[in-house]
Amino acid sequence: MEPLTPQQFLDCTQNRLQLPAISDCEIWLLTARANAPGNEMLEGLLSVDERQRATRFRFEEDRVRFIVGRAALRWILASYCSVSPDRIQFRDGSHGKPALLSPSVSVGFNVSHSGEYVMVAVTSDTECGVDIECSRPRAEEFSIAANYFSGQEMEWLSRTEAGFLRLWTGKEAIVKALGGGLSVPLCDFDVTGVLEGSTSSITISTRGHVPRTLWLSEVAVPPGYAAAVATLSERRIVAGSGRLQS
């Protein structure tokens, strides 16, 4: 998937978009570089509270990623719903996952950012979770894996080059789709079957939660990154920008 600069994104989404087809999960990938053309316009789409939140980031790259992610989400949802971006209102779920409060449209969405990229996923009539990550020092990856991966995932990691990011993004996408936050332990489920292509779905059964089946897909992103998207109903993963160019 080719990332869009903020200016390219704004230029190609001027016209109203239709909601994603019921069979699809649309993915948008944007660059988030400081001083990039279009950043100022994106910042102007934020609410007063969101602008205040942006000023609290200590590092400029974190501030830019927040602005690009939140503003792009507002712009996409506004286009789908035929309203202006300032009419979009969010509410937080019990574990902090945002949901659309107004207008009243059955749409699921999720945002993730890492390094210089922001990824937005949008679905109709089902929830979704997305995660993008850039590579970390190898020693740090194995330290994290030992705490959060299952035994089978650790074995798979030992024989798979660059496997950590693929495992981590898959597991994070699932947790975000469920909206359960840290109440869903990452070591309670195994995503290696999906990564190896033997299955496309995973049933999560963990204490305190009703068993749920999710569909997980990896997303092609630039080198040095990995990304995955999970949905609570089976969906075809498509690039939102690809529809604009057809």
Side-chain angles (χ1 to χ4, degrees):
M1 177 181 296
E2 290 297 322
L4 299 172
T5 67
Q7 190 63 61
Q8 288 171 331
F9 168 75
L10 291 166
D11 288 345
C12 72
T13 53
Q14 291 293 329
N15 298 322
R16 178 176 179 262
L17 300 171
Q18 298 294 321
L19 283 166
I22 195 68
S23 60
D24 292 343
C25 173
E26 287 192 354
I27 304 292
W28 298 82
L29 181 64
L30 289 81
T31 60
R33 300 189 184 100
N35 302 316
N39 280 3
E40 187 174 341
M41 184 174 177
L42 284 178
E43 186 169 4
L45 300 176
L46 301 181
S47 68
V48 173
D49 288 345
E50 289 166 341
R51 290 178 200 170
Q52 291 175 345
R53 180 177 170 186
T55 65
R56 293 196 290 269
F57 285 96
R58 180 179 178 185
F59 298 107
E60 177 66 9
E61 58 265 32
D62 294 329
R63 189 183 76 86
V64 172
R65 281 192 294 261
F66 171 78
I67 290 171
V68 172
R70 195 70 168 201
L73 176 63
R74 276 189 173 276
W75 188 266
I76 291 167
L77 293 178
S79 180
Y80 289 149
C81 300
S82 296
V83 299
S84 61
D86 63 306
R87 293 279 306 279
I88 298 295
Q89 296 182 32
F90 299 103
R91 61 175 175 83
D92 287 337
S94 58
H95 293 278
K97 182 182 180 181
L100 186 61
L101 176 63
S102 178
S104 181
V105 177
S106 182
V107 60
F109 58 86
N110 200 225
V111 179
S112 180
H113 44 71
S114 183
E116 62 177 50
Y117 296 108
V118 169
M119 184 170 280
V120 180
V122 188
T123 51
S124 295
D125 292 327
T126 195
E127 288 296 328
C128 62
V130 68
D131 193 55
I132 183 169
E133 299 285 347
C134 60
S135 60
R136 309 171 187 237
R138 195 158 182 80
E140 182 182 345
E141 291 182 349
F142 275 98
S143 175
I144 294 171
N147 288 315
Y148 295 105
F149 290 176
S150 69
Q152 185 168 335
E153 287 171 333
M154 290 297 292
E155 191 278 329
W156 184 87
L157 179 61
S158 69
R159 56 182 170 82
T160 306
E161 185 176 355
F164 173 83
L165 286 184
R166 296 175 64 195
L167 287 167
W168 185 260
T169 53
K171 293 168 87 68
E172 281 288 310
I174 285 173
V175 169
K176 293 174 76 174
L178 290 171
L182 295 177
S183 68
V184 182
L186 293 180
C187 59
D188 274 12
F189 58 94
D190 175 11
V191 300
T192 55
V194 173
L195 301 187
E196 291 180 334
S198 61
T199 183
S200 61
S201 63
I202 296 174
T203 299
I204 307 296
S205 182
T206 191
R207 187 171 60 183
H209 293 271
V210 175
R212 299 295 300 268
T213 298
L214 299 93
W215 282 259
L216 178 66
S217 299
E218 293 188 272
V219 181
V221 286
Y225 289 78
V229 60
T231 56
L232 297 188
S233 298
E234 189 171 9
R235 293 291 188 268
R236 181 176 63 118
I237 309 305
V238 298
S241 57
R243 183 170 59 156
L244 296 171
Q245 296 161 3
S246 61

